[in-house]
Amino acid sequence: MNVRIIPRLDIKGPNLVKGIHLEGLRVLGKPEAFARYYYENGADELFFQDTVASLYDRNSLHDIITLTAREIFIPLTVGGGLRTIQDIRDVLRAGADKVSINTAAIKNPAFIREAALKFGSSTIVVAIEAIRQQNGEYLAYTDNGREHTGIEVLSWARQVEELGAGEIVITSVDREGTGLGFDVELTRMVAEQVGIPVIAHGGASSPEDIARAVTAGKADAVAVSSILHYDYITHQQHAGNYEKEGNTSFLTSGRGFNKIKPCTLQDIRGKLISEKIPTRSTI
Amino acid sequence: MKKKVVIVDYQLGNLFSVKQALLNVGLDVVISSQADDINDADAVVLPGVGAFADAMSNLAKMGLVDPLKNYIAGGKPFMGICLGLQLLFTNSEEFGDSKGLDIIPGTVKKFKPSPEFPVLKVPQISWNQIGKPEGRSWDDSPLGESKEGEYMYFVHSYYVEPQDHKVALTETTYGDVKYVSSILKKNIFACQFHPEKSAEEGLKIYKRWALNNQLI
């Protein structure tokens, strides 16, 4: 399967944000602008996550999705706060192609089956937020890694597949936003457990990391945010038209991404191709 | 006056992106579940994501099977996407055997791992390449401006196998299965991939389809 590169946009209110371990969010700018830029630079899909939806029990991305879907013709996955069949229907109607569910699936696994039957398996992505325990076991969490569930990740991944999910996005909460690289072991274990595609997420700091998530981690796709966002911001600043609405002082201070090597989608694509990893390329 | 394109809504799958793509190339779009709208349409698009059997049962419940067959037999432009391609076939091996619209003789089969590809992931959710079957030109088709080997976005667990290979417009390989990924037969163009999700290269296909059929 050709590996997909999926920019992930974490959104809070009207803003694109980025945190570390899914927490401590900083505003980076307007999600529509980032989405457009990634589309024009060859993103395979986009993933929009409402980062505060869980707190309010609702997804508030409808307007952003509709704006984006009117002019961006690649698949859009939307996650965050989707609790009911009606919630899913609403974001699909707003222009999403797929939905990502986590909390609602863990609280009621039958919800996966119901949603898959209603909208087709390929529309239902289940997000698993994994935290490594001291004994080496991985447990699933919800609410950006805050809520402990006690559910073991690998058996949950198998169950999710049986219930009809079309894809799994596996987040290493330990690595997310840190730039320490993907948790390749976690990704590989999940990818080998299931027959559906697995998207690796959390920790990418360079194109090399992404290639490793595919070769050693057996990922079918990668969700990437910091390295692309920071590169985009840097470009915008150099271009002199960056809107100073976000708290970006951490970028110039160097604290924000000392381990993260900002790069473009083309850099990532080039790395995959040079490693002979099958991926969509220009012909 | 703009031509009227009807997207058939049989409550399976997301119609938003198909609508946006058609609007983008300058067409007027109506989303409808009404037989009358299909009869009166200048062109019909049948999208769809989900299960074959559910789709056929929805079409039957909504009284759309005969209107669709009659419309297609009438020779006006028709586009099928994803499940909308598969439904044109005689039957699908999903859940034993499900009957389709039987407009294109052939069957719909499931991807299976093979000795060479023991870990084939299903569904295929990926950008994949479309190629020309031997001796097939794309010049007269909606792919008139597409390049051999172009990448398109695919999401599917089943693929079509037409009895008459002459209807094949593109071929794609997944695992060790080389399958027909789009067909062209008279007024029928149908594709397994999603041109509305395949960026600018996909929009070209909508545009060419509309131009070839004098819809714009």
Side-chain angles (χ1 to χ4, degrees), chain B residues 16-173:
Chain B
F16 187 97
S17 53
V18 175
K19 180 180 173 184
Q20 292 308 317
L22 291 165
L23 290 174
N24 184 277
V25 301
L27 288 160
D28 243 358
V29 184
V30 179
I31 293 177
S32 172
S33 315
Q34 302 299 318
D36 288 350
D37 285 324
I38 294 175
N39 295 338
D40 297 344
D42 295 307
V44 165
V45 177
L46 184 66
V49 169
F52 188 97
D54 291 350
M56 282 309 296
S57 106
N58 281 12
L59 286 176
K61 263 187 268 175
M62 298 167 111
L64 296 177
V65 171
D66 287 334
L68 275 171
K69 284 186 167 183
N70 293 337
Y71 171 86
I72 292 172
K76 285 196 279 184
F78 173 89
M79 187 196 289
I81 302 160
C82 195
L83 196 55
L85 159 73
Q86 299 179 1
L87 293 171
L88 299 174
F89 282 69
T90 314
N91 58 351
S92 167
E93 64 178 31
E94 182 184 309
F95 305 121
D97 183 29
S98 308
K99 296 265 174 270
L101 293 170
D102 197 16
I103 293 167
I104 307 285
T107 59
V108 183
K109 298 183 141 183
K110 187 163 191 180
F111 285 123
K112 292 184 189 80
S114 65
E116 210 179 324
F117 289 90
V119 288
L120 192 70
K121 296 265 174 144
V122 177
Q124 174 186 203
I125 303 184
S126 186
W127 290 73
N128 203 341
Q129 290 178 287
I130 52 171
K132 291 175 188 161
E134 215 180 310
R136 186 68 167 94
S137 158
W138 287 348
D139 292 349
D140 60 338
S141 82
L143 300 176
E145 282 168 42
S146 306
K147 292 187 292 263
E148 169 92 39
E150 194 60 76
Y151 286 81
M152 292 287 145
Y153 188 77
F154 287 82
V155 183
H156 62 130
S157 302
Y158 293 81
Y159 61 95
V160 299
E161 208 170 76
Q163 272 173 25
D164 177 6
H165 198 71
K166 281 204 287 293
V167 301
L169 182 65
T170 64
E171 288 173 328
T172 296
T173 302

Side-chain angles (χ1 to χ4, degrees), chain A residues 27-29 236-237 240-248 252:
Chain A
V27 172
L28 299 185
Q236 292 299 96
Q237 281 175 328
N241 59 356
Y242 180 68
E243 292 172 44
K244 285 201 183 334
E245 62 194 81
N247 165 21
T248 54
T252 42

Side-chain angles (χ1 to χ4, degrees), chain A residues 42-249:
Chain A
D44 292 328
E45 300 187 18
L46 295 175
F47 192 115
F48 286 43
Q49 179 74 23
D50 185 340
T51 55
V52 289
S54 273
L55 300 178
Y56 303 106
D57 253 0
R58 66 184 165 81
N59 187 293
S60 59
L61 301 184
H62 301 80
D63 293 346
I64 292 173
I65 300 162
T66 302
L67 275 175
T68 309
R70 276 198 195 123
E71 49 177 37
I72 286 182
F73 295 92
I74 52 174
L76 305 177
T77 302
V78 174
L82 304 172
R83 302 284 189 263
T84 64
I85 291 294
Q86 189 58 42
D87 290 344
I88 295 179
R89 188 176 288 124
D90 289 345
V91 291
L92 293 177
R93 235 172 234 163
D97 298 288
K98 304 190 249 188
V99 293
S100 165
I101 52 179
N102 177 7
T103 309
I106 283 192
K107 282 189 180 153
N108 173 22
F111 182 58
I112 301 173
R113 172 157 287 153
E114 196 189 346
L117 284 173
K118 199 98 200 160
F119 304 106
S121 283
S122 58
T123 306
I124 309 301
V125 183
V126 172
I128 304 180
E129 293 172 2
I131 296 184
R132 193 185 170 103
Q133 310 297 301
Q134 279 184 340
N135 63 3
E137 189 181 52
Y138 289 93
L139 295 182
Y141 285 69
T142 62
D143 300 281
N144 303 323
R146 273 184 230 117
E147 298 294 326
H148 175 83
T149 67
I151 295 171
E152 195 270 319
V153 164
L154 298 182
S155 61
W156 176 232
R158 278 196 301 273
Q159 196 187 347
V160 156
E161 177 183 21
E162 275 166 28
L163 289 166
E167 283 179 283
I168 289 173
V169 53
I170 178 79
T171 300
S172 163
V173 179
D174 305 309
R175 298 295 179 90
E176 203 280 332
T178 64
L180 292 170
F182 288 100
D183 185 335
V184 167
E185 192 189 343
L186 168 69
T187 307
R188 182 184 51 76
M189 286 195 295
V190 174
E192 286 180 348
Q193 278 303 316
V194 296
I196 54 177
V198 170
I199 306 167
H201 171 236
S205 70
S206 66
E208 289 74 18
D209 278 346
I210 291 162
R212 216 170 296 128
V214 177
T215 51
K218 309 261 173 85
D220 300 290
V222 286
V224 203
S225 42
S226 306
I227 55 175
L228 294 175
H229 298 342
Y230 296 159
D231 178 74
Y232 172 69
I233 289 171
T234 319
H235 270 88
Q236 292 299 96
Q237 281 175 328
H238 288 159
N241 59 356
Y242 180 68
E243 292 172 44
K244 285 201 183 334
E245 62 194 81
N247 165 21
T248 54
S249 56

